[in-house]
């Protein structure tokens, strides 16, 4: 279906290109023709009368135009050509006499052969033809020639410009189509991942509950294990639903990204204090900056989003850090126009081939099923960083830990 749609679009674009090209060429040819038609025919008729009565081109020959006079047998009788002495113009006299017989004096486009110094060239010109008559006797034909030297260049420039513009339009539409395909693929992947993350814990909760309800598990320790697993799956389900809702809100509510001036301590202080208290219950060393010892510049950001970004990265660091001899360090580094926030841990690290996909939605769930979580945390951080026009980076080495960092603007 998509291929048929693409083929139809290409055919329509090609037809539009050809139609526009034809219309443009017609306009370029019609403008000089209709703007000079009446004038040139009148001058040709006047010059024919003057030549018939006086043997010259009269006042019409003073306008810098070129004239040719032929008899009825097609022999050249006289000419007024501005060029070299041996300059000659080839013209189809018989064709024009047929037109004069039918329509009288007229103006026509022609591609004339100009011979000069043993060289022959072709030039586009407007040719006005008028009969030379004496007492109603047709003695010959006078041709007035106005060469359009700039017309070929103008036509070439138009064709080139139109082609370039159409290629740009085609490229723009092609990019839009690719973006649409990427969006469709992203939606399919997102729905598939969301379906897995919602269905998996529900299936587990249902199976464990039915097992307990049917009385197949009578051992109190196993029952406690089942209850604990149900609670764990419920927490997983809740985390997934909440983060899906949060991601949806980030994508649909532009007001969330409204920036304001705020102190770094106000943004990050509560988060750092909460994780410092958390570390009292686990054997993970936590190092955070002292705002009183090292004052930080004011931030220009959306406080709630900046705070949430640090919260998600710390949650991720603690989750993948070994409780024994674990270390999580937060650093705030002022720079030129930004404050760089980095979260370092000495956990399991990330394989190099996984780094490009680390911020994809549900990546963890699809590629690291042994870990808990929805796989949406880092994608939320990426969504916020992009919305705030900030930079998000990650450096990691398997077995040595990871460093996640993002910037927060310190200027409007």
């Amino acid at each position: 279906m998509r291929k048929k749609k693409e083929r139809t679009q290409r055919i329509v674009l090609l037809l539009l290109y050809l139609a526009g090209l034809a219309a443009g060429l017609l306009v370029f040819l019609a403008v000089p023709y209709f703007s000079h038609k009446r004038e040139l025919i009148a001058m040709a008729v006047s010059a024919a009368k003057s030549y018939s009565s006086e043997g010259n081109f009269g006042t019409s020959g003073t306008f810098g135009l070129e004239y040719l006079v032929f008899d009825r047998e097609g022999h050249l009788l006289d000419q007024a050509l501005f060029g070299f002495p041996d300059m000659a113009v080839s013209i189809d006299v018989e064709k024009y006499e047929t037109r004069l017989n039918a329509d009288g004096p007229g103006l026509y486009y022609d591609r004339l052969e100009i011979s000069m110094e043993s060289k022959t060239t072709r030039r586009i010109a407007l040719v006005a033809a008028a009969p030379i008559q004496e007492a109603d006797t047709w003695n010959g034909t006078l041709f007035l020639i106005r060469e359009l030297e700039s017309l070929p260049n103008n036509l070439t420039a138009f064709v080139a410009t139109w082609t370039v513009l159409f290629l740009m339009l085609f490229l723009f539409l092609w990019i839009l189509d690719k973006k649409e395909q990427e969006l469709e693929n992203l939606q399919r992947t997102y729905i598939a991942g969301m379906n897995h993350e919602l269905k998996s814990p529900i299936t587990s909760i249902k199976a464990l509950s039915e097992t307990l309800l049917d009385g197949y598990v009578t051992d109190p320790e196993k029952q406690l294990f089942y209850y604990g697993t149900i609670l764990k799956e419920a927490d997983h389900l809740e985390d997934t639903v909440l983060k899906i809702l949060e991601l949806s809100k980030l994508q649909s509510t532009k007001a969330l990204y409204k920036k304001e001036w705020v102190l770094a301590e106000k943004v990050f202080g509560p988060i750092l204090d909460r994780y410092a208290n958390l570390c009292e219950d686990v054997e993970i060393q936590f190092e955070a900056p002292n705002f009183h010892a090292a004052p930080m510049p004011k931030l220009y950001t959306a406080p709630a989003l900046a705070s949430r970004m640090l919260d998600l990265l710390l949650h991720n660091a603690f989750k993948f850090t070994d409780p024994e001899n674990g270390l999580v360090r937060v650093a705030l580094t002022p720079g030129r126009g930004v404050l760089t926030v980095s979260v370092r841990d000495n956990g399991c690290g990330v394989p190099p081939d996984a780094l490009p996909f680390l911020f994809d939605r549900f990546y963890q769930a699809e590629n690291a099923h042994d870990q808990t979580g929805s796989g949406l945390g880092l994608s939320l951080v990426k969504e916020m960083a992009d919305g705030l026009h900030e930079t998000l980076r990650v450096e990691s080495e398997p077995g040595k830990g990871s460093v996640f960092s993002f910037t927060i603007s310190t200027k409007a």
Side-chain angles (χ1 to χ4, degrees), residues 326-359:
L327 172 64
V328 175
R329 180 184 294 117
V330 178
L332 304 179
T333 308
R336 190 172 182 179
V338 295
L339 178 72
T340 301
V341 182
S342 59
V343 178
R344 179 186 298 271
D345 65 70
N346 62 349
C348 58
V350 181
D353 59 344
L355 285 175
F357 312 102
L358 203 57
F359 298 105

Side-chain angles (χ1 to χ4, degrees), residues 141-198:
T141 306
L142 180 140
F143 297 95
L144 180 154
I145 301 172
R146 170 169 284 180
E147 291 186 32
L148 302 174
E149 297 179 0
S150 62
L151 184 61
N153 292 333
N154 292 339
L155 291 176
T156 302
F158 165 73
V159 172
T161 303
W162 178 250
T163 302
V164 170
L165 289 175
F166 220 84
L167 285 175
M168 292 175 64
L169 174 63
F170 178 81
L171 181 61
F172 174 72
L173 294 176
W174 181 80
I175 292 174
L176 283 183
D177 186 63
K178 287 297 180 184
K179 292 285 187 183
E180 183 180 349
Q181 290 185 35
E182 291 176 2
L183 182 59
E184 289 178 359
N185 293 334
L186 183 62
Q187 287 175 339
R188 282 195 291 269
T189 304
Y190 180 72
I191 291 173
M194 184 171 61
N195 179 61
H196 169 80
E197 288 304 312
L198 294 176

